[in-house]
Amino acid sequence: MSDLRLGYPFRAVIILAVVLALAVLFQVLPAGREVAWVVATGVVLVALAAVVLRTLQRNRAREQSAHVLAALGATTADLPVSLRTRMPLVLVTGDSLVQLFNRAGDEERLTHVGDGAIWLRVDNPRDLPRVAVAVKQWRDGRAPDGVVLSIAPALHAGEDVLTQALRLARQAVSDASRMLGTRLPGYIAIYQRLTATPAAAAAAAGLRWYGVSSTTRLADAHRFEAVMQAAEAQVHQTGGDPVSAARAAALASVIGWTQRVVIGPLTGRLQPATPWALFGMGWIDCGPASDPRSPWARDVRARSGIMPPPMAASPVPWPMPQPLIESMPRRLWVSPRLAALAHAIALLACAGALAIWGSAKNNQALLAHIGADLGRFSMIPAAHDTARRDALQALVADRDQIDHYARLGVPARLSFGMYRGAPLMPVLNDAIASYETPPPPPAVVTLDSMSLFDSGRAQLKPGSNRAVIGALEMIKAHPDKRILVAGYTDNVGNADGNLRLSMARAGAVRDWLVEASGIPVTQFAIQGYGDTRPIAGNDTDAGRAKNRRVEITLVPDAPKEVPLGGAQKEAPKGGATGA
């Protein structure tokens, strides 16, 4: 066991997969932070579970198969490591394993190294899955090359017992294939005495296997005809020797019995386990003692009425079925490190493809966002400057973001060859440059009340329209603006009277402007402030003259702030005044 290799770096591949998944998830994919954290937690938990489960399975298989691996190491100690990795290794289970493996007196052996294969004994078919996994680890990631099922019909009390054993072996092979991730080619070796020739003499004459082996699955029974023809040819070669003739007849009988009793439970599709793919099957005139109670002897008597004579057991060791595996299908073996490298490349390719897709989606979102900002800016009329400035700020932020990418580099979520923001820079600059600051609102037109009204009165004096012409021109130049007409007085006289007088004078100016300009009265607002907002001191004649005034102002956004014409009740004309 000291020369075991590192095997497949499962943990390293899992860690690489997790790192790539988290990097793509957080850096590229268009997912919200909450969703990303939920998915990341799930990925990490699944990875931890996979590592823990794989570690437990490997440790359990190694512990349970420690004696088998120790025997393998001892038996193959003289073989180079590369040879024991590439030399076919076959698991042998079923009947008479002691007679097959014990080749040195009473020594219990679990392994045997033959001329063309390493044979590993598995006494209980249920142990096939764990032994197969342990062997794969021992062979640096290469699974066993096949499973031989040894069947000695004379050892079974009846066909029902044999059928149950065959189903058990089939299920074990199916479980082992599933755990290994590859199929295990099957080989059937029938050990049955076919002639009554003394066993020692038969062994001295040389035991011969009759069977068929192929690199493809045995799909039909026509291939067994060649086996019987070979036995008949041997009879002709020996000049009709009675022993050869008896062996040929018995061989034909046992082949038919095998087809009816053995092949069905192993390959039939009515069984729950996966059908076992058989690549070789052979029979040999060797086996345990046979008497009329064996299943095959009873089958011969039932079909031909002839009772096979009792036959003694063959001397041990019995030959391994080496001829059956000579046509073993060769599987391409890839070292675990090379497989891990291929898996790592596949993971990188998947992560790259996912990153490219995520980057494309992010670039689509970026283009859609900037396009929406450009469309909103272009749709806002120049008169709505406040909204237009807000849209302009959004364009400036977009332009600054694109400029930041150009200077410092595109982030991963927009890169991978998918970035399309650079062509938007001239478009954004043109849109930003197209913004024109609106002209400042016109200055307030201030009219001297004494040039418009007589002292204490709110009726325009004849000829006073010349003083209002300037205000009228300003109003006509901005027909979309609302107009506020406000009246003011000095502090001479009663404050309430001054307030009513200022309101009445504002109304009089408003009425003249409506008539002269044709602008609807609803676009005007009037306000009287009396003596509450002086612009000079009221202690001198000059100061009081400045405070007696009418101001006309354009109000851009006045509907909710300034009462319009008719909304404010006008003060009655006349009353005590401060001029």
Side-chain angles (χ1 to χ4, degrees), residues 320-341:
M320 289 290 184
Q322 178 67 39
L324 299 185
I325 66 171
E326 290 178 354
S327 298
M328 176 178 290
R330 302 301 178 185
R331 290 180 295 185
L332 178 63
W333 176 74
V334 180
S335 69
R337 270 75 60 198
L338 187 58
L341 177 61

Side-chain angles (χ1 to χ4, degrees), residues 487-510:
Y488 305 85
T489 67
D490 57 23
N491 64 348
V492 176
N494 180 268
D496 291 338
N498 289 337
L499 182 62
R500 289 192 294 271
L501 179 61
S502 64
M503 178 66 75
R505 286 178 173 177
V509 174
R510 185 270 316 272

Side-chain angles (χ1 to χ4, degrees), residues 412-500:
R413 62 186 182 84
L414 296 172
S415 54
F416 299 97
M418 296 289 106
Y419 182 61
R420 297 293 182 270
L424 295 176
M425 179 67 80
V427 180
L428 289 170
N429 286 333
D430 292 344
I432 293 172
S434 67
Y435 173 76
E436 295 182 359
T437 304
V444 177
V445 176
T446 302
L447 304 177
D448 182 8
S449 294
M450 298 306 298
S451 64
L452 300 176
F453 306 99
D454 292 329
S455 177
R457 301 184 64 82
Q459 289 83 23
L460 289 172
K461 296 190 298 183
S464 62
N465 54 351
R466 295 194 185 98
V468 194
I469 291 299
L472 180 62
E473 293 177 351
M474 178 187 71
I475 292 172
K476 288 184 176 181
H478 299 86
D480 58 330
K481 303 294 184 182
R482 296 178 183 269
I483 304 99
L484 171 64
V485 182
Y488 305 85
T489 67
D490 57 23
N491 64 348
V492 176
N494 180 268
D496 291 338
N498 289 337
L499 182 62
R500 289 192 294 271

Side-chain angles (χ1 to χ4, degrees), residues 44 50-51 59 85 95 99 114 152 179 182 208 340 347 353 371 447 455 515 534 551:
V44 173
V51 171
N59 292 342
T85 300
D95 302 331
Q99 287 79 0
M179 293 179 65
T182 183
R208 178 178 178 180
L347 288 174
L447 304 177
S455 177
E515 182 178 359
E551 294 180 350

Side-chain angles (χ1 to χ4, degrees), residues 259-278:
Q259 290 177 306
R260 293 189 301 273
V261 178
V262 176
I263 297 180
L266 294 177
T267 62
R269 298 192 176 276
L270 297 180
Q271 304 296 328
T274 304
W276 193 7
L278 299 179

